[in-house]
Amino acid sequence: MKKLLITGGRVLDPKSNRDGIFDILVEEGKIKAIEENIALEDVPRIEAQALWVMPGLIDMHVHLREPGFEHKETIKSGTKSAAAGGFTTIACMPNTQPVVDQASLVEYIQIKAQREGFVKVRPIGAISKGLQGEELAPMGEMMDAGAVAFSDDGNPVVSSSLMKKALEYASMWKAVIISHCEEPSLSKGGLMNEGEMSTILGMQGIPSAAEEIMVARDIALARYTGCRVHIAHVSTAAGVELIRRAKRQGVAITAEATPHHFSLTDRAVEGYDADTKVNPPLRTQEDVEAVLKGLQDGTIDVIATDHAPHHRDEKKQEYKLAPFGIVGLETALPLAITHLIRKNILSPLQLVEKMSLHPARILNLSAGTLQVGQEADITIIDPQAEKKIDKNQLYSQGRNTPFHGQSLYGQVLYTIVDGIVVKNLEWIEKGE
Ligand SMILES: NC(=O)N[C@@H](CC(=O)O)C(=O)O
Ligand SMILES: [Zn+2]
Ligand SMILES: [Zn+2]
């Protein structure tokens, strides 16, 4: 029987409200015991003194790029990046080629991930066929094949009528609709946030109202239908405030924010580095503060990376031509420790809620907690360790990070999936 003993770590499990020093015994891929002292000899052991032992992190917003854009990322490289970043489950967006808008593609991704992946992959199906925003994709069939949510991410669902139908259909399977909020007639042609910085830099802007309008629309539809909606990558103070009010009024809405939107402003665009080009764009200091406040008071439920790898040559182009997107899997945890934990925005338990428990709940996954009987998906980090981000050492194929050269706190030491260490200080290569 395969066993693993994790001793002396600070176990953080928001679901059971556990925050203390415990030993964890893993057996046959499951958590067998969590106790103050587990005395066992001849069992492989991880000494976790001074480390944090958390339920495996879950990223509900990842672009894996396969099929179709393997030059940017593959299921293999993307899941390796996820494991390196401490994620044991990721949900991947359907804006691939072909678009994941039918059951066979949902199946394809899961089979490929089982064969080559380092972590668990849960596909998100498209809302509309081909992400065209015209006709609903077969959501029921995709659900049966294993889809965990639906989104046209990359594009907004422009038609309110289609969005209403999507909410109603998804609710029949208790699935959530993830909304990329962007009013395209306002954002079209924009390269960065519209404001003082875009004027100084002479670039066309994307107004914050482009997000605000669509958040308001989705709140209206969620309220009207009584169905669940999840707002992707909230970036504006106005968006956060709308969500806060809607939640108070009992609307079934949840929201996520990305590490780049809580740690960078549009000042980062100053050097015209295309690695700062992302959608929604980096916003103002006021917006960043609102996102931080939203994370703190529970308005924003989830931290998701929106990991969006692109090829070096694509990002090397001038700002105007480079595609939107930032890689995030390997920088998320250090950014969260540095900007949220060390600045007392979140407690460690709240951080685990946002990076594991809440995404599991929103996607109806039986994960996100460390409890006896649960699958042993566990992430062990050193919250004190400081490390410089080096874009040339990422496991992702993407190099497009604006955090290159930054020194951040918090290092992932072990990522354990079903009781197996898939990320160690050294890599245990799977199938190689
Ligand atoms: N965030 C981005 O800038 N890009 C994403 C699309 C998206 O998340 O909307 C991508 O697929 O590249
Ligand atoms: Zn998006
Ligand atoms: Zn995205």
Side-chain angles (χ1 to χ4, degrees), residues 142-186:
M142 285 192 279
M143 261 327 261
D144 289 342
V148 291
F150 298 96
S151 182
D152 272 5
D153 185 51
N155 301 332
V157 177
V158 178
S159 159
S160 303
S161 145
L162 191 78
M163 189 60 154
K164 173 172 170 284
K165 263 189 228 142
L167 288 168
E168 287 166 342
Y169 272 95
S171 76
M172 300 197 304
W173 296 279
K174 301 200 180 341
V176 73
I177 294 284
I178 303 173
S179 181
H180 167 115
C181 288
E182 174 181 350
E183 205 291 303
S185 73
L186 283 174

Side-chain angles (χ1 to χ4, degrees), residues 61-65 72 93 95-96 152-156 180-182 232-233 256 258 260-261 277-281 305-310 315 323-326 400:
H61 191 148
V62 173
H63 297 274
L64 284 178
R65 307 303 191 199
K72 297 175 193 267
M93 286 295 177
N95 62 338
T96 48
D152 272 5
D153 185 51
N155 301 332
H180 167 115
C181 288
E182 174 181 350
H233 43 49
E256 71 190 28
T258 72
H260 46 273
H261 288 117
K277 184 174 175 184
V278 65
N279 194 17
T305 67
D306 192 10
H307 178 81
H310 293 291
K315 275 293 199 182
F324 289 93
I326 288 177
N400 46 310

Side-chain angles (χ1 to χ4, degrees), residues 244-256:
R244 180 178 288 120
R245 255 190 281 158
K247 280 190 163 185
R248 270 195 212 131
Q249 295 164 353
V251 177
I253 187 169
T254 53
E256 71 190 28

Side-chain angles (χ1 to χ4, degrees), residues 390-422:
D390 180 351
K391 67 175 174 183
N392 298 309
Q393 291 196 342
L394 297 177
Y395 289 97
S396 169
Q397 274 173 216
R399 295 281 171 267
N400 46 310
T401 175
F403 300 105
H404 177 69
Q406 281 197 20
S407 233
L408 300 171
Y409 291 95
Q411 203 180 338
V412 176
L413 299 183
Y414 300 94
T415 306
I416 300 167
V417 178
D418 286 331
I420 305 208
V421 180
V422 294

